[in-house]
Amino acid sequence: MPITVFLNGQWIAAEQAKISVFDRGFLFADGIYEVVPVYQQRPFLLVEHLARLQRSLSALQINAPDNSFWQAVISELLERNGLADALVYIQVTRGAEANRSHLAGADLQPTLFASISPLPVHWHQPKPVAVTLFDDIRWLRCDIKSTSLLANIMLKQQAHQAGYSEPLLQRDGWITEGASCNFFGVRNGIIYTAPKDHLILPGISRDHVIQLAQQLGLEVREQAFAVTDLAELDELFLTSSSREVQPVGRIDDMIIADGQCGPLTAQLVTAYHASKRTLCEIS
Ligand code: PLP
């Protein structure tokens, strides 16, 4: 089905959507984005996603419309496209200007774009994947959901070429996250995940999983996990809006949880599915 997208106040067919070659998003990756999962036409954790969108915008000092504007755009996007399960993408750049300077003019109009694509939803236990340890070569503001994703793309490409689902990134001997997901490790019944600082993207599903774990009475420590301790992991999983809770069965040659989905991970997968039903009011 052809997709209708939102671009700068207009609703148009996806193939018709065009922006200027002088757009600063194209020239300098001077922009941010946000991804909101939708289940049965209902956005999941929308307030949290829009709060992160506003944080990214204010970090870049881009003046874009407020949350009520984006809520209306998302509603109309869902209505016009009729997709039940989907990912909504919002992209905002600082705007276009022919003067090709790093320093932008003061009166630029930001470019506002929203699109949607189908999301294959899994309600079952996902199969464990393999990851490979790489140096985290990204910049030091990974907390901003910037469209500048070159390092993430290079790392993902290298991992895929070597037959792995995702790179597991380490900086100075500490696990940060994946190229497009957050890291969770389980050791002796305690769940570890990197703290929310400038070295990781504060994943919305990360926060949600922490809440779910706490509701289940599980202990979560937002504390960096050392590469030298990886061999002691009982379980490992990744989180993101599109992958939800993704068990990992292997890091390079190191088998985790006998290559299976560990028991705490399985509990969280089930809790995540249940929360999709509850929060999106799916019967
Ligand atoms: N970390 C990185 C680097 C990401 O790109 C993403 C998602 O794209 C995540 C973590 C997970 O974020 P969320 O749970 O909000 O999808």
Side-chain angles (χ1 to χ4, degrees):
M1 200 187 89
I3 297 289
T4 301
V5 300
F6 173 88
L7 180 63
N8 295 329
Q10 291 193 312
W11 292 96
I12 39 180
E15 317 78 65
Q16 305 296 322
K18 306 262 187 307
I19 58 166
S20 164
V21 290
F22 292 110
D23 193 282
R24 293 178 62 88
F26 175 61
L27 295 180
F28 306 121
D30 186 1
I32 60 95
Y33 73 112
E34 188 53 53
V35 185
V36 185
V38 170
Y39 302 113
Q40 294 301 306
Q41 295 237 318
R42 292 178 191 256
F44 184 59
L45 303 172
L46 181 59
V47 172
E48 291 80 355
H49 280 282
L50 291 180
R52 185 174 63 185
L53 172 76
Q54 296 299 341
R55 276 203 308 277
S56 301
L57 287 167
S58 76
L60 268 61
Q61 298 181 35
I62 294 178
N63 288 321
D66 63 10
N67 287 350
S68 57
F69 171 89
W70 291 113
Q71 271 163 355
V73 167
I74 292 171
S75 295
E76 191 162 348
L77 194 61
L78 292 174
E79 228 166 79
R80 283 179 181 261
N81 290 289
L83 291 172
D85 301 312
L87 289 174
V88 166
Y89 288 84
I90 294 174
Q91 312 267 150
V92 181
T93 77
R94 200 179 301 279
E97 66 180 344
N99 169 24
R100 206 182 182 289
S101 162
H102 282 186
L103 196 59
D107 50 357
L108 273 192
Q109 284 301 312
T111 301
L112 311 176
F113 177 63
S115 173
I116 190 164
S117 60
L119 171 69
V121 183
H122 36 84
W123 293 98
H124 54 278
Q125 298 278 347
K127 279 206 182 79
V129 296
V131 299
T132 181
L133 196 61
F134 277 151
D135 287 342
D136 194 341
I137 58 168
R138 300 172 304 160
W139 70 330
L140 295 173
R141 288 305 307 273
C142 296
D143 54 313
I144 301 171
K145 202 162 168 65
S146 157
T147 56
S148 173
L149 289 169
L150 203 47
N152 308 55
I153 289 167
M154 288 167 68
L155 290 161
K156 192 105 164 179
Q157 226 171 23
Q158 284 168 34
H160 269 247
Q161 281 160 1
Y164 293 93
S165 171
E166 186 75 20
L168 184 64
L169 306 180
Q170 70 91 21
R171 196 189 287 271
D172 301 328
W174 302 96
I175 302 296
T176 52
E177 57 180 341
S180 58
C181 49
N182 290 111
F183 158 88
F184 284 82
V186 182
R187 184 177 55 178
N188 299 331
I190 298 168
I191 301 173
Y192 294 85
T193 190
K196 271 206 285 196
D197 59 17
H198 61 294
L199 300 181
I200 68 159
L201 184 81
I204 303 304
S205 29
R206 171 195 177 280
D207 284 357
H208 187 54
V209 163
I210 291 175
Q211 264 184 17
L212 294 173
Q214 287 166 343
Q215 283 162 16
L216 289 166
L218 303 171
E219 184 179 344
V220 181
R221 291 193 192 157
E222 295 184 59
Q223 187 177 303
F225 200 85
V227 171
T228 48
D229 291 342
L230 283 176
E232 292 174 19
L233 277 181
D234 301 315
E235 300 179 38
L236 196 177
F237 60 91
L238 306 168
T239 60
S240 80
S241 297
S242 56
R243 296 174 99 162
E244 304 178 355
V245 178
Q246 170 63 64
V248 174
R250 184 160 64 88
I251 310 170
D252 295 303
D253 293 333
M254 195 188 295
I255 304 289
I256 311 282
D258 293 328
Q260 306 298 314
C261 176
L264 296 195
T265 309
Q267 252 184 294
L268 289 165
V269 169
T270 305
Y272 200 98
H273 290 336
S275 74
K276 290 188 305 199
R277 287 195 191 285
T278 314
L279 295 176
C280 293
E281 297 169 27
I282 303 167
S283 53

